[in-house]
Amino acid sequence: MLASSVTLAQEPPPFDSFELERLDLNPGAAGSLLMGTGELLPAGDFRFSAVGHYQHNPFVFSRDGQVVPIVGSRATTHLAAAYAPFSWLELGVQLPIVVLQTGTDLSGEGIARPASSGLSTPTVSARVGLVSQQAGSWGDLALEMGVGAPMGSAPGFARDEGLRYAPRVMIGRRFGWFRVAVDSRLMVRPVLTPYEERALARAAVGNEAQVGLALAMVGQRTRWELDLRGTFPLVKQPSSVELFLGPRYLVNPSVEVFALAGLGSGAAPGTPLFRVLLGAAFGRVVPPRLSDESSVTCAPELEHSAEECPDMDEDSDGVPNGLDQCDEQAGTPERQGCPWTDLDRDGIEDKLDACPAEVGVAAWKGCPMPDQDKDGIEDGRDVCPSEPGPEISRGCPLKDRDLDGIEDDIDQCPDLAGPPERQGCPESDLDRDNIANVVDTCAREPGPVDNHGCPAHEVPLVSLTRQKIELTDKVFFVPGQPRIVERSFPVLNWVAKVMLEHPDLPLVVVGAHTDDRGNALDNQRQSQARAEEVRKYLIQRGVAPERLEAKGYGQSRPLYSNATSIGRENNRRIEFIIVARQ
């Protein structure tokens, strides 16, 4: 091709040498095949593309009311490659080759027929990413500098007289299943002034501004894109607009095929009546995804993980991967996709059993009841777990019957627990059930200690301590949303009841926590939204807004290991912490 270009260059060109081609590819094809979207290839990834490109009437003039094509048809092979040595840098190269070009014989006008083939203008580019939505920012923003070398065929309208520069700004953002991007660049090229001494006059050719808009699908194996591209010359020459539409299909993680068809409007050289592009790309062609997006590999015949494809159902149990707590085992919807298993046969399902290999009781979440001093009172209720004592003294020997830390011989109320500043007499007890208001779940109705101070016929769903309001059940939300599931209203109603019955209760922080699956920033945002939703519910139940503070901790404060489904289940929680006002 190079030898052919040199030979053809010896013939007089029909016009001064200039590059007719106005279309180039997006070498990395991140988001769009033609337009830069601000998104770069992941670090270490590469992509090679080969594209067949046909143009109809890219260069015409009007004579006696008839359109005469100087270049009637043009078939080009575009070779493009991109490589990202770093996450913020992408290098690209493009090599277009004119394979076949036809035109009208204008020898009568003193104009030679254009060369039928030859090398076109090769370009190299460097793209720098400034902002990345993948990293948690609002979108993608990148800058690029491209340089075209004057190495093409002059008789084939495939060469400028000097270097061509193309500074470029690209910005884009994903919105759910589609991406929007704007690509603008300035084409700085040698300027050819018009002349009128020939019968066929030519307009000026030179610098121009190009603006493109891309709308493309994401997260699908077959993705469509719509591109609008406008060219606005900075010399005396008509403007032009082109519209492109086409699909791209992932054959496997290393091969992608695509097609584009475009219509052109405008008389500027290089704007055809229509174009058709067919091509294939090789390398690492699976695009990166956001944490809430599906991967393009979500097909049974392609390798993928359950986390990458939340809408699929890997184990065919009717529960999508995004909601399935047991991705590799078929289960039931009411168990979030997990099967019923009870390894220790204690009647407590393994996923709810804190000790799945030991026979236990429900009160201890499936674990055996610990009783170090063998006094018949489990350690969790035994104030003196290493010394045996009766139930009346909560497991301690009868030397401090009310277990308030004050010896009976100096305790003014030896049968009623109280602080030292009250000489052992109890704190305020409105319902006179011998349980101080600060730890009495039902402060206005008497009840036994083992029922948290509530009447024996009533089952409290929360218990009040000096540090927190503890729940007997979890607060459930619609998966992926902050909306509270109706089954959790009763336990939240109890939280509101306790706060309303304890007007002297200090500030309560509603803390929301998640497991470590997904993006950390998204988890923090979701936990904050859920904490706000719980706070809003309690306010609707009558709690004063100034007594509540919502705080989302995301995945930063796990109680259990996130390596197991049980650990992740326990880490997803709502807590009500009692704190002193600042």
Side-chain angles (χ1 to χ4, degrees), residues 220 292-294 298 306-313 319-322:
Q220 300 290 331
D292 58 348
E293 290 180 353
S294 295
C298 292
E307 189 270 335
E308 290 177 316
C309 305
D311 297 326
M312 293 186 66
D313 183 8
V319 182
N321 295 341

Side-chain angles (χ1 to χ4, degrees), residues 359-541:
V359 176
V361 295
W364 286 93
K365 300 181 179 179
C367 291
M369 182 179 70
D371 184 12
Q372 180 181 341
D373 55 14
K374 309 297 182 184
D375 59 2
I377 302 173
E378 63 268 25
D379 290 349
R381 293 193 304 113
D382 199 330
V383 178
C384 302
S386 60
E387 298 179 84
E391 182 76 34
I392 190 174
S393 60
R394 295 187 288 177
C396 287
L398 286 175
K399 55 186 176 182
D400 179 12
R401 296 196 301 272
D402 55 12
L403 301 177
D404 57 3
I406 304 173
E407 295 290 338
D408 291 345
D409 56 345
I410 61 173
D411 195 333
Q412 298 299 312
C413 302
D415 295 315
L416 297 174
E421 59 268 23
R422 292 177 176 267
Q423 289 78 47
C425 289
E427 298 176 276
S428 177
D429 182 12
L430 292 177
D431 56 6
R432 301 183 182 278
D433 58 359
N434 295 330
I435 302 174
N437 291 344
V438 293
V439 291
D440 193 340
T441 301
C442 298
R444 299 179 182 178
E445 297 176 276
V449 174
D450 58 2
N451 202 37
H452 307 294
C454 291
H457 67 273
E458 193 170 15
V459 180
L461 300 183
V462 301
S463 60
L464 179 63
T465 70
R466 295 181 184 272
Q467 293 78 31
K468 63 171 65 176
I469 301 175
E470 296 182 339
L471 311 183
T472 61
D473 196 4
K474 290 172 64 67
V475 178
F476 294 92
F477 298 87
V478 175
Q481 300 181 25
R483 185 157 57 91
I484 303 170
V485 177
E486 186 175 359
R487 61 185 283 193
S488 296
F489 290 171
V491 70
L492 292 178
N493 291 343
W494 266 92
V495 174
K497 175 180 181 296
V498 168
M499 293 194 69
L500 291 173
E501 289 184 0
H502 294 77
D504 57 338
L505 201 64
L507 178 67
V508 173
V509 174
V510 181
H513 305 262
T514 71
D515 57 27
D516 66 348
R517 295 192 303 175
N519 180 275
L521 181 59
D522 289 342
N523 286 341
Q524 196 282 327
R525 290 172 177 168
Q526 185 184 72
S527 65
Q528 182 64 38
R530 288 182 170 179
E532 293 286 354
E533 190 68 15
V534 172
R535 179 178 181 269
K536 178 181 176 181
Y537 182 89
L538 295 178
I539 292 172
Q540 291 173 346
R541 301 295 298 180

Side-chain angles (χ1 to χ4, degrees), residues 237-301:
Q237 188 185 97
S239 300
S240 63
V241 176
E242 291 189 74
L243 182 67
F244 298 87
L245 176 66
R248 53 197 301 185
Y249 175 75
L250 183 72
V251 179
N252 59 53
S254 299
V255 179
E256 180 183 61
V257 294
F258 51 85
L260 282 172
L263 297 175
S265 175
T271 304
L273 182 61
F274 66 85
R275 302 177 191 262
V276 178
L277 296 92
L278 297 173
F282 310 91
R284 299 179 184 176
V285 297
V286 176
R289 66 184 186 91
L290 299 182
S291 59
D292 58 348
E293 290 180 353
S294 295
S295 172
V296 298
T297 59
C298 292
E301 65 273 19

Side-chain angles (χ1 to χ4, degrees), residues 79-98:
L79 303 178
Y83 172 66
F86 309 104
S87 61
W88 53 269
L89 177 64
E90 178 181 303
L91 304 176
V93 60
Q94 298 189 56
L95 180 64
I97 301 172
V98 179

